[in-house]
């Protein structure tokens, strides 16, 4: 499910910002993006997210900015490196005739001479996980709101499926009567007498051919189970996915046994409704 959260925290050490995004995905995939100094916390952060979210593609971005006071107090000169550079400059001057004295500015420009001491990771660890927990809580709440909307959509589709089942039940006796009338007319056209035993036998064969009572009953059962799972809540995605596969199988059987346009249309409508739900179910927990 799609969701977004952002939490920011500030202190004497600087500023922390945690952004989390969730998009639809059939399985759980977690991506962590943190500053290099936080790499040691990447696995615990990933595990914390996995404890609360079971499905979806989750992207977590943690940004850290030291405060100006911390940056100023943390400015240092790498004296060892400066001494090595000066010694190297004197050696190089011995090989170059026109080499002038080395400017202090040139030394300062050399990578690594000026160092900024970053805040100790241990002092930030508690704040990092505090911010992550808040962002995670907001993300889960946003996903829950979307899940509630999807729940209403699923229940509406289940109502429509049962409406199509009612049409099938109402239509079946008419189909049987129409088939009997067609058989009587066919024999009347060729002026042959059809004894009642033969007619009954033909109708039994036809009834067995179009018998969908089991499919209707199983579809009703699956729809009831979908409703129960939605009402129960919790981790329901994979269970609903399985139930919808079964519903689709029953709808296919209804369509294959159909000898009437009304029944065929009902089976097609059911498959459309089931597919609409399946597209969303694969994304929920």
């Amino acid at each position: 499910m799609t969701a977004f959260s952002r939490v920011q925290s500030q202190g004497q050490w600087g500023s922390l910002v945690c952004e989390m995004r969730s998009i639809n995905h059939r399985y759980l995939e977690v991506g962590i993006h943190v500053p290099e100094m936080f790499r040691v916390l990447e696995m615990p952060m990933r595990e914390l997210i996995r404890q609360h979210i079971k499905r979806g593609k989750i992207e977590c971005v943690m940004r850290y900015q030291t405060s100006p006071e911390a940056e100023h107090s943390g400015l240092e000169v790498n004296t060892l490196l400066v001494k090595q550079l000066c010694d190297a400059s004197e050696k190089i001057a011995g090989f170059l005739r026109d080499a002038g004295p080395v400017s202090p500015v040139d030394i300062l420009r050399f990578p690594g001479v000026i160092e900024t001491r970053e805040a100790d990771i241990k002092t930030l660890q508690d704040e990092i996980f505090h911010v992550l927990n808040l962002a995670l809580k907001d993300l889960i709440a946003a996903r829950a709101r979307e899940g509630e909307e999807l729940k209403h959509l699923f229940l509406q589709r289940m109502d429509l499926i049962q409406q199509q089942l009612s049409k099938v039940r109402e239509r079946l006796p008419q189909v049987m009567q129409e088939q009997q009338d067609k058989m009587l007319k066919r024999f009347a056209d060729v002026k042959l007498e059809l004894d009642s035993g033969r007619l009954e036998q033909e109708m039994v064969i036809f009834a067995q051919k179009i018998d969908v009572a089991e499919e209707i009953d199983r579809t009703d059962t699956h729809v009831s189970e979908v409703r129960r799972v939605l009402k129960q809540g919790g981790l329901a995605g994979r269970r609903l996915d399985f139930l919808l596969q079964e519903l689709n199988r029953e709808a296919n059987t209804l369509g294959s046994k159909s000898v009437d346009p009304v029944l065929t249309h009902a089976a097609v409508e059911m498959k459309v409704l089931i597919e609409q739900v399946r597209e969303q179910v694969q994304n929920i927990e």
Side-chain angles (χ1 to χ4, degrees), residues 88-130:
S89 177
E90 291 179 1
K91 291 181 180 180
I92 294 173
F95 296 101
L96 301 176
R97 296 179 181 177
D98 300 326
V102 179
S103 168
V105 176
D106 295 331
I107 296 294
L108 290 173
R109 287 175 179 170
F110 194 86
V113 170
I114 298 298
E115 296 179 336
T116 301
R117 289 181 299 181
E118 296 178 318
D120 186 357
I121 187 64
K122 292 182 180 179
T123 64
L124 286 173
Q125 182 171 341
D126 290 343
E127 191 63 28
I128 289 170
F129 280 95
H130 174 67

Side-chain angles (χ1 to χ4, degrees), residues 81-247:
L81 180 58
V82 171
K83 186 177 184 304
Q84 292 174 344
L85 289 173
C86 291
D87 292 342
S89 177
E90 291 179 1
K91 291 181 180 180
I92 294 173
F95 296 101
L96 301 176
R97 296 179 181 177
D98 300 326
V102 179
S103 168
V105 176
D106 295 331
I107 296 294
L108 290 173
R109 287 175 179 170
F110 194 86
V113 170
I114 298 298
E115 296 179 336
T116 301
R117 289 181 299 181
E118 296 178 318
D120 186 357
I121 187 64
K122 292 182 180 179
T123 64
L124 286 173
Q125 182 171 341
D126 290 343
E127 191 63 28
I128 289 170
F129 280 95
H130 174 67
V131 170
L132 177 60
N133 271 299
L134 292 177
L136 190 57
K137 182 179 179 180
D138 289 347
L139 188 77
I140 293 172
R143 284 162 59 94
R145 289 191 295 270
E146 183 180 357
E148 193 64 26
E149 294 178 2
L150 289 177
K151 176 182 176 180
H152 294 309
L153 182 147
F154 295 165
L155 291 174
Q156 290 174 359
R157 298 301 185 270
M158 294 302 108
D159 289 341
L160 294 174
I161 289 173
Q162 289 191 310
Q163 290 179 16
Q164 295 300 325
L165 283 180
S166 297
K167 291 181 181 180
V168 173
R169 288 193 184 96
E170 294 174 2
R171 180 61 181 166
L172 281 175
Q174 299 177 29
V175 173
M176 292 293 295
Q177 184 61 49
E178 290 174 2
Q179 180 64 18
Q180 181 174 330
D181 294 342
K182 287 180 181 179
M183 292 181 65
L184 291 172
K185 184 178 183 302
R186 189 181 303 121
F187 279 91
D189 290 342
V190 296
K191 298 180 179 181
L192 291 177
E193 292 186 3
L194 181 64
D195 62 85
S196 59
R198 175 67 183 279
L199 177 61
E200 182 179 351
Q201 182 181 12
E202 291 292 335
M203 292 307 299
V204 168
I205 295 174
F206 179 74
Q208 291 175 345
K209 180 180 179 181
I210 67 167
D211 181 24
V212 291
E214 290 186 9
E215 286 76 10
I216 292 175
D217 291 342
R218 284 196 293 264
T219 301
D220 256 338
T221 300
H222 295 327
V223 169
S224 298
E225 182 65 11
V226 169
R227 293 181 182 277
R228 187 194 69 79
V229 171
L230 290 173
K231 182 179 179 180
Q232 180 180 353
L235 299 179
R238 287 179 172 81
R239 182 179 293 274
L240 290 174
D241 195 16
F242 170 76
L243 289 171
L244 289 166
Q245 289 179 21
E246 295 301 308
L247 280 171

